[in-house]
Amino acid sequence: MLTIRPCAEQDRAAAAALLRGACPGNAAEAVARLDARPAAWVVSQARQLIGYGAFWRVQDVRFRADLAVHPAQRGRGVGNALLATLVREARAVGACTLQVRADSRDARTLRFFLQRGFEETMRMHQQALDLQAVCGEALAAADVIEGRLLARGIAFTSLREAERQDASCWAKLAALEHAAHEGWPDPDPGAGAGSADGPPSDRE
C-alpha cells in the first residue's frame, strides 16, 4: 500500500539517496535544496521510500518543483499520486504556475510531464571541458588570446580576487547577468490561467 506524507527530518537521507539514483542529472541541486526545507512529501511502501516531491516559490505566484520516483517503481502510479499532491498543495498556497525540470535525454520523464499538461518553455544545454584531454596547442592558443585581451585592458581574475579588490563586484556581476538576459526565453513565464483539474500552467 502506498503512503504519501510530508517529508520528515528522518526521511532526508533516504530522499537524498533517491534523488541521486532517480535523477542524476539534477540530483546535486535537488539534494542541496533539502537543506532549505522546501514543502516536501514522500511516498513509501513497506517502509521503503520510493518517491519524493517538493515545491518552492520562485517569484510571486510562480513556483518550481522537484519530483523523483525510484526507477523500479515507475509506471505504477507513484508519480501521478505525488504530482497530484504537489499540485493540490501548491494551489493551496497561491501558486498559479509550477515548473519542473527534466533531462532532455530522459524521454520517459519528458513524456510523463507532457502527457499531464506541461509544456517546454526553455531548454538549457550543458557543456563540459575535459581538462585532461586539452592539448598543448589549445592551451598555447588560449595564452595568445589572453595576451591580446590584456593588451586591450581586459584581464581574467577569480571571483574571490574580484571580491577582495571591489566591494561592489557582486552588484556589477548581477548587472552584467541582467544585461546578458536580453533575448533569452523566460524560464518562469507569467502566470496564465491554470485548468481546474490539471496542473498549474508553467512547464519545464
Side-chain angles (χ1 to χ4, degrees):
M1 180 177 178
L2 295 179
T3 301
I4 300 179
R5 55 181 171 75
C7 182
E9 185 63 34
Q10 60 267 28
D11 297 317
R12 296 190 181 277
L18 174 66
L19 287 164
R20 294 188 184 98
C23 47
N26 299 324
E29 292 182 12
V31 170
R33 279 192 289 270
L34 281 169
D35 292 333
R37 305 296 194 271
W41 287 260
V42 295
V43 183
S44 60
Q45 184 177 48
R47 297 185 179 180
Q48 179 187 9
L49 195 148
I50 61 173
Y52 169 83
F55 66 78
W56 62 97
R57 187 188 304 271
V58 176
Q59 183 180 358
D60 47 65
V61 293
R62 290 172 282 188
F63 285 62
R64 289 185 186 173
D66 288 325
L67 191 151
V69 175
H70 191 287
Q73 301 294 335
R74 292 175 183 173
R76 301 182 181 181
V78 178
N80 274 332
L82 193 49
L83 180 60
T85 298
L86 293 180
V87 169
R88 182 184 67 249
E89 298 294 336
R91 279 193 171 127
V93 295
C96 286
T97 67
L98 188 66
Q99 182 200 98
V100 294
R101 290 183 174 177
D103 194 312
S104 62
R105 297 165 295 184
D106 187 348
R108 184 173 183 175
T109 298
L110 289 172
R111 186 166 58 251
F112 173 87
F113 287 117
L114 290 171
Q115 289 175 346
R116 288 156 182 80
F118 288 75
E119 297 175 3
E120 183 178 328
T121 59
M122 181 180 184
R123 180 167 296 199
M124 296 183 289
H125 299 273
Q126 183 182 51
Q127 295 181 330
L129 177 65
D130 182 356
L131 296 179
Q132 300 300 320
V134 176
C135 66
E137 291 182 3
L139 291 174
D143 287 340
V144 171
I145 294 172
E146 184 176 358
R148 292 174 180 172
L149 291 172
L150 285 170
R152 296 166 53 188
I154 301 173
F156 292 89
T157 187
S158 67
L159 182 56
R160 179 175 296 178
E161 180 63 18
E163 285 183 295
R164 190 185 68 80
Q165 294 182 358
D166 186 352
S168 64
C169 87
W170 278 103
K172 292 177 179 177
L173 183 60
L176 173 63
E177 183 177 357
H178 287 307
H181 278 177
E182 184 177 355
W184 286 18
D186 186 351
D188 293 286
S195 66
D197 55 356
S201 59
D202 197 15
R203 286 55 82 161
E204 194 250 39

